[in-house]
Amino acid sequence: SALARWETERSSIQLWSRHGFDVPGLIDAPPPPELEGELFSWFEFVPGRPLFWHLVDPEVALSEKLTLARQLGRDSRRRHALALELNEPLLLHEHPTTKHVLVSADRLVTIDLEGGYRSDFSPEVAAGLEVAGVVRSLWRDADQDPLSEALPWAYVEGYGDLPLLREVARAAGGGLRGAPHHQPENSLRSSYRYSKLDPRQKTNKVSQPVVAARARVRTEIKEPFRHVP
């Protein structure tokens, strides 16, 4: 529902911001008269463009692209480690792609947080799916420029913590070999987490949607990642 997505986005931004992760700031201000009584949010204006467009721009030097990919990896690793420590899947992005990260001067600002994972979703699986989605996105970006095939490796280099990377990748389906082709049936979105209308029961066991998510992981990351330890 619109209410659930609104609540999810606000909760996600507040959570990420509280732990020092770069997201657009929420602005506490009254609505314009025409939106009185409606759901709305004021956000900080973030000048810049999506990371995707930086990475496919032939005018941007490869060295800068690699630096951005490493920065994205470092930011991801710190957030993933905290998500596992706190058992908080809302710190993981459900729609991981370079199109949902804005480049603003020296900032990488994550956007599109109105969807996420419910509180009973495994943070290890969620982190692994995020890694797979980001790496797949970087490969797609690299397809635009053969010289940029080092982008996924730069992300892994920036991530740095190979034991953590291995843990979350295996939890999501066996390594950095795949990414979900599409949302699994009965997708576990944090929209449902905040919806009082959600009829599904929560459980600590691995649920069918999680199994479905793993089953949909396919070999889509290209050959070099088949040998990542």
Side-chain angles (χ1 to χ4, degrees), residues 31 33 41 54 76 85 94 105 109-110 116 138 143-144 147 149 163 172 181 189-191 213 221:
S41 294
H54 259 63
S76 297
E85 177 185 341
E94 191 199 26
V109 184
T110 302
L138 289 169
D143 286 342
Q144 308 296 321
L147 294 178
E149 289 187 357
H181 285 286
R189 302 170 62 87
S190 62
S191 302
I221 303 306

Side-chain angles (χ1 to χ4, degrees), residues 44-135:
E44 166 199 7
F45 172 71
V46 179
R49 62 177 177 173
L51 177 59
F52 168 82
W53 292 110
H54 259 63
L55 298 180
V56 300
D57 188 343
E59 299 299 319
V60 176
L62 177 59
S63 59
E64 181 178 344
K65 296 176 181 181
L66 295 175
T67 296
L68 290 170
R70 292 187 191 99
Q71 182 179 347
L72 183 63
R74 286 193 300 272
D75 293 348
S76 297
R77 188 266 310 157
R78 189 170 68 87
R79 183 165 43 78
H80 293 175
L82 184 63
L84 269 60
E85 177 185 341
L86 300 180
N87 193 33
E88 178 50 88
L90 202 58
L91 281 170
L92 289 316
H93 206 302
E94 191 199 26
H95 299 142
T97 168
T98 55
K99 293 181 179 179
H100 294 159
V101 178
L102 300 178
V103 179
S104 183
D106 61 348
R107 298 172 63 189
L108 289 183
V109 184
T110 302
I111 60 173
D112 193 43
L113 294 171
E114 78 275 9
Y117 295 99
R118 294 192 313 180
S119 57
D120 62 339
F121 196 94
S122 164
E124 289 85 0
V125 173
L129 292 176
E130 184 184 312
V131 167
V134 168
V135 170

Side-chain angles (χ1 to χ4, degrees), residues 145-222:
D145 178 3
L147 294 178
S148 298
E149 289 187 357
L151 289 176
W153 284 112
Y155 174 83
V156 171
E157 180 185 351
Y159 199 98
D161 189 340
L162 279 181
L164 175 61
L165 190 60
R166 187 183 302 114
E167 175 186 352
V168 300
R170 288 177 176 170
L176 292 176
R177 302 184 186 184
H181 285 286
H182 51 75
Q183 286 292 335
E185 194 173 339
N186 297 322
S187 171
L188 293 180
R189 302 170 62 87
S190 62
S191 302
Y192 299 119
R193 165 184 178 149
Y194 296 105
S195 173
K196 297 180 180 178
L197 301 179
D198 178 25
R200 283 169 289 183
Q201 295 181 351
K202 296 183 177 180
T203 174
N204 290 326
K205 297 180 180 179
V206 177
S207 61
Q208 287 302 313
V210 175
V211 173
R214 290 176 177 172
R216 295 185 189 281
V217 173
R218 297 293 183 264
T219 302
E220 192 160 304
I221 303 306
K222 307 231 177 13

